[in-house]
Amino acid sequence: MSWRTRANIAWLRGLSGVKEAEPLASRTSFGIGGPAEFFLELVRPEAIERSIEGACKRSIPYLLLGAGTNLLIADRGVEGLVIRVVNREHEIEGTRVRAGAGLKMMRLARIVADANLRGFEFAIGVPGTVGGAVYQNAGCWGKELREVLVEAEGWVPGVGTRKWKPSDLELGYRTSALRDGDLKGALVVSATVQLQRGDGEEAKQLMARLTRERNETQPIKTKNCGSVFKNPPGDSAGRLVQAGGLKGAREGAAAVSTQHGNFIVNEGGATAADVKRLIERVMVEVKRRFGIQLEPEVEMVGRWK
Ligand code: EPU
């Protein structure tokens, strides 16, 4: 039976601040995707938890959204409830920093440098939020969140508030129990990282240098979703795409970046279907040429059929 009963729709419409048929494209770094059937933007974890609990009780599908930097949302949008998590508070206690899931990693990188803390410079290359970084153990320049994470606070439907140690989260290369395991559907409320005392100016200089480097190698000023594929063990997806002659390949207004083979760029008006077709074409060609099965890092969500 469909969840779309009169009572459930009435419950959704009664949620404080809810919007119906809310466009999502502008809430993703790709600038692609259809609307959320119902959309909430919430700061307070308790309010987010109550909404998820209500949705679960009614079997209404829900999607938690951060900065939308690693998502490809279907052109037909997302059914049920989309909740954009925007709790952006942070607390610094000595060398430990607790940050709300809605805070951007890049912003946190600057905040901790201002507080003369070191060890978080890599986050200047991570476009998403703290919550998104926990969700997929985000990283850059060979460093990952799990190297500094000491605890994440979360909330599991039907279970309640949880304090997770990194080992509880099964963090791996661009994966976690939240993305691919038992904790699917759980909410990340905050993350606590352990940093070291140091010279904030040096941290800022390092971050400026890393950003310049990223600017030279990645199309960071375009609409994209970051790396499209995970790197296969011992190799690089970007290298394989280039070797397969696929740089510049296009479907509609979606094109493989000529700068970095593991990026797809929305050149203006690309549809999710364009991007999906291009992803599939690249996978088929890399498999045919090199026998390597690429695995998308970008997460495809919403109504594809
Ligand atoms: N390469 C090519 N052609 C290309 C692109 C890359 O030959 O078109 C080669 C490079 O010359 C290099 C190797 O492939 O020898 C690796 O490339 P790069 O240093 O650009 O890093 P990457 O493995 O493609 C990873 C992360 C990025 C992160 C960078 C920088 C993955 C999937 N990607 O990219 O993360 O910014 O390292 O540390 O692990 C993201 O996850 O969204 C992301 C952008």
Side-chain angles (χ1 to χ4, degrees):
M1 199 182 86
S2 164
W3 61 267
R4 223 178 258 100
T5 62
R6 204 175 280 219
N8 284 352
I9 298 292
W11 177 79
L12 283 160
R13 288 193 173 136
L15 291 168
S16 168
V18 78
K19 293 178 179 163
E20 244 176 282
E22 178 69 6
L24 291 177
S26 63
R27 293 185 167 95
T28 71
S29 57
F30 238 148
I32 294 175
E37 200 170 349
F38 291 88
F39 178 81
L40 281 177
E41 193 163 82
L42 296 172
V43 178
R44 289 182 47 247
E46 306 76 48
I48 304 172
E49 291 160 15
R50 240 180 293 121
S51 311
I52 299 175
E53 196 166 40
C56 287
K57 206 164 85 188
R58 295 168 177 83
S59 304
I60 298 170
Y62 65 94
L63 172 74
L64 300 172
L65 189 66
T69 52
N70 197 45
L71 276 189
L72 180 61
I73 294 178
D75 297 313
R76 292 184 57 230
V78 182
E79 72 167 327
L81 180 61
V82 174
I83 305 172
R84 185 153 181 258
V85 175
V86 287
N87 55 326
R88 297 184 179 129
E89 80 286 354
H90 74 273
E91 280 160 38
I92 301 181
E93 266 191 51
T95 50
R96 284 208 168 186
V97 182
R98 182 178 163 277
L103 190 64
K104 289 266 196 86
M105 287 287 277
M106 289 182 179
R107 172 100 187 90
L108 186 58
R110 294 198 180 93
I111 290 171
V112 299
D114 280 338
N116 286 314
L117 294 172
R118 301 291 310 263
F120 205 64
E121 294 87 347
F122 75 96
I124 204 70
V126 176
T129 59
V130 167
V134 175
Y135 179 77
Q136 60 160 358
N137 184 31
C140 201
W141 298 295
K143 254 196 131 178
E144 297 173 334
L145 182 72
R146 68 174 156 184
E147 292 166 51
V148 290
L149 186 73
V150 284
E151 184 180 274
E153 198 188 326
W155 185 86
V156 184
V159 177
T161 299
R162 279 286 169 273
K163 288 204 166 160
W164 294 307
K165 293 193 289 295
S167 57
D168 298 328
L169 294 169
E170 297 164 22
L171 301 170
Y173 171 56
R174 301 293 196 271
T175 182
S176 76
L178 293 152
R179 179 171 170 157
D180 301 306
D182 290 349
L183 292 174
K184 264 187 197 175
L187 170 73
V188 177
V189 172
S190 72
T192 303
V193 293
Q194 175 68 58
L195 306 175
Q196 299 98 45
R197 202 158 289 295
D199 183 343
E201 279 314 308
E202 277 176 25
K204 285 179 202 170
Q205 280 164 20
L206 174 58
M207 292 194 295
R209 180 170 65 74
L210 292 171
T211 303
R212 275 196 302 277
E213 275 175 31
R214 202 161 78 91
N215 222 337
E216 278 159 22
T217 55
Q218 298 180 2
I220 59 177
K221 296 208 170 82
T222 65
K223 288 193 188 309
N224 67 73
C225 66
S227 295
V228 174
F229 300 104
K230 294 184 184 183
N231 283 330
D235 209 334
S236 146
R239 188 197 73 74
L240 288 162
V241 172
Q242 177 167 350
L246 289 154
K247 275 185 161 178
R250 59 170 53 247
E251 291 285 339
V256 176
S257 165
T258 49
Q259 192 179 2
H260 194 300
N262 200 12
F263 281 71
I264 288 178
V265 173
N266 171 10
E267 296 190 328
T271 64
D274 290 338
V275 176
K276 186 162 181 279
R277 263 198 309 278
L278 193 52
I279 288 175
E280 286 162 359
R281 201 171 120 198
V282 168
M283 287 172 74
V284 166
E285 190 58 12
V286 167
K287 174 81 178 160
R288 188 183 72 76
R289 296 276 300 258
F290 310 111
I292 293 173
Q293 186 67 59
L294 287 177
E295 187 190 335
E297 179 189 315
V298 60
E299 201 166 1
M300 298 189 201
V301 297
R303 294 192 265 213
W304 288 94
K305 289 192 189 107

